Amino acid sequence: MAIVSSSIDRPDSNRSTSKSRVVDAELLPDDAITSREEGLRPKRLDEFVGQAPLKQVLGIAVKAAKGRREALDHLLLYGPPGLGKTTMALVLAEELGVKCRITSAPALERPRDIIGLLVNLKPRELLFVDEIHRLSSIAQELLYPAMEDLRLDLTVGKGSTARTRALELPPFTLVGATTRAGALSSPMRDRFGLTERLDFYNLPDLQAIVRRSAGILLLPLTNDGCLEIARRCRGTPRIANRLLRRVRDFATVRGELDEIDVLIVDEALTLHRVDHRGLDESDRRLMELLLSSYGGGPVGLETLAAALGEDPATLESLIEPFLLQIGFLKRTPRGRVVTDAGRAHLGRQARL
Ligand code: ADP
C-alpha cells in the first residue's frame, strides 16, 4: 500500500553555525527531504539496515497491533540526528498500512496547530513529532489526555463564559523523536508505552547503507569505495548519503562513471576536507587550538568557544559529540582535554 506522509514541516533547530558542514548530521537544505533524501529512505522494516534490537522490538509491536487491529503504542525514539528516527516512523506506518503525519515541536506553537493535526487523524494513524523535547507547555497539556484517553479538551469562549468541551479522538500513535531524551518532561516521557534508542551505526551496517544508496543512484561504487565512505561518515546514515552525493558529483565532473573506486572517493572527500576518520575543518580547528594554545587542555567550554569565535551551544551540540564518541576528546570536570588518540590523529606525540 502506498503511504503518503503529509508535508514535512520542520523549521531549522536552534543552531547558530554560520556555515553548513558536509559532515553535519542535521538535515541541511541540500538534503531537500522531498527529493534527495526521500528516494534513499528505506520503506520497509527489512530494508532498514542495522539497529537489530530496535527492529526486533518494533517488529513484534507492529505484528501484535496489526493482529488486534489496534493502534501501535505511543513510541519515543531518541538518539543523535540522522540515525533514522523519521525513517523508522515512516517504515512503521508502511508496515501497519496507515499514514504517517510528520511535524516538529517548533511548528506546534499555537494550540490550534496541534488541535488541527489531532482532529484530522484517522484511526490507527501515526503522528510523528520531531524535537518533541521542544513542545510548549500548552501543546503538552493538550497532548496528555489525547495520548492517554483519546480525548481533546477544547476551551470554547472567553473569560467568564469560557467552557471546556471534550472531543473524542480515534485511536492513534504518537511517535516522538528527540536528540535529548533528558530534556523531555517526565509526564511526557511516562506517556510513551515504548521508548527506544537509536545508536551510531557500525562499519558493516554503514557499508550496507552506502551500497544500497549507490544501487538506487545507479553508481558503480567498488567495495573499497563503499568502505571509505562508511569510514568517514561519523556512524551516521544521513552523512553517508550526503558524502555519497558529493562523490557522485566529483565522479560526474571527472567523467569517471564506469567505476568509482577508493581513489576517487578519497579525492572527492579530501576536496571537501573530510579526513579518513570523518573529521572536518571545524573538528580539526578545535583540536589544533586545544593543542597549540592550551597544551591539549583542560580548557573550559566558554574559553574554547570564545577562542574559536563559535557559540558555546554550537560547540557543545554540533562539534564536540563526535569527537567525544570516537575518543579524540574527553570532558573532565576542569574542561576539555585532547586524548592520546586525538593527538596521534593530528600527528602529535602522546602526552608524557
Ligand atoms: P533522523 O530522523 O534520526 O534525523 P532520518 O530518519 O531522517 O534521521 O534519516 C536520515 C537519512 O538517513 C534517511 O533519509 C535515510 O535515507 C537514511 N537512513 C537512516 N537510517 C537508515 C537505515 N537504518 N538504513 C538505511 N538508510 C537509513
Side-chain angles (χ1 to χ4, degrees), residues 4-9 90 99-103 117 127:
V4 194
S5 68
S6 70
S7 63
I8 294 180
D9 182 11
L90 292 164
K99 279 189 188 175
C100 178
R101 318 257 168 202
I102 296 189
T103 187
L117 272 173
L127 173 61

Side-chain angles (χ1 to χ4, degrees), residues 109-150:
E109 249 173 36
R110 297 162 307 176
R112 78 167 115 116
D113 299 324
I114 188 127
I115 293 170
L117 272 173
L118 289 172
V119 297
N120 282 310
L121 285 172
K122 306 268 179 322
R124 293 180 288 116
E125 280 186 355
L126 265 62
L127 173 61
F128 177 83
V129 181
D130 204 5
E131 299 190 73
I132 193 151
H133 61 277
R134 294 177 64 191
L135 265 189
S136 66
S137 47
I138 300 178
Q140 291 190 40
E141 293 299 329
L142 280 165
L143 267 181
Y144 294 155
M147 288 172 80
E148 226 161 45
D149 305 320
L150 303 175

Side-chain angles (χ1 to χ4, degrees), residues 85-265:
K85 296 182 288 299
T86 313
T87 306
M88 183 50 91
L90 292 164
V91 161
L92 293 174
E94 181 85 37
E95 295 288 343
L96 289 161
V98 296
K99 279 189 188 175
C100 178
R101 318 257 168 202
I102 296 189
T103 187
S104 83
L108 301 176
E109 249 173 36
R110 297 162 307 176
R112 78 167 115 116
D113 299 324
I114 188 127
I115 293 170
L117 272 173
L118 289 172
V119 297
N120 282 310
L121 285 172
K122 306 268 179 322
R124 293 180 288 116
E125 280 186 355
L126 265 62
L127 173 61
F128 177 83
V129 181
D130 204 5
E131 299 190 73
I132 193 151
H133 61 277
R134 294 177 64 191
L135 265 189
S136 66
S137 47
I138 300 178
Q140 291 190 40
E141 293 299 329
L142 280 165
L143 267 181
Y144 294 155
M147 288 172 80
E148 226 161 45
D149 305 320
L150 303 175
R151 195 187 79 232
L152 192 56
D153 293 328
L154 300 174
T155 310
V156 193
K158 276 195 178 145
S160 58
T161 60
R163 267 174 303 126
T164 314
R165 242 189 68 200
L167 200 76
E168 209 178 305
L169 294 170
F172 72 100
T173 303
L174 182 75
V175 183
T178 179
T179 49
R180 300 178 52 213
L184 212 63
S185 72
S186 74
M188 190 73 203
R189 223 179 5 235
D190 293 346
R191 281 171 172 82
F192 288 99
L194 293 159
T195 298
E196 294 295 325
R197 184 191 150 79
L198 278 89
D199 284 312
F200 285 109
Y201 290 69
N202 61 28
L203 214 48
D205 288 344
L206 292 165
Q207 265 180 285
I209 290 171
V210 175
R211 200 172 300 119
R212 176 180 174 276
S213 299
I216 295 172
L217 298 173
L218 305 175
L219 289 181
L221 188 64
T222 63
N223 280 338
D224 286 353
C226 235
L227 178 63
E228 194 57 26
I229 295 179
R231 280 205 181 109
R232 295 188 182 200
C233 71
R234 307 164 85 102
T236 306
R238 172 172 293 135
I239 300 178
N241 287 340
R242 190 182 302 135
L243 295 184
L244 182 65
R245 291 200 303 270
R246 296 294 75 83
V247 169
R248 176 177 62 170
D249 292 349
F250 185 83
T252 307
V253 170
R254 281 287 195 85
E256 304 261 16
L257 283 173
D258 289 338
E259 185 181 82
I260 303 177
D261 62 13
V262 64
L263 294 175
I264 299 173
V265 170

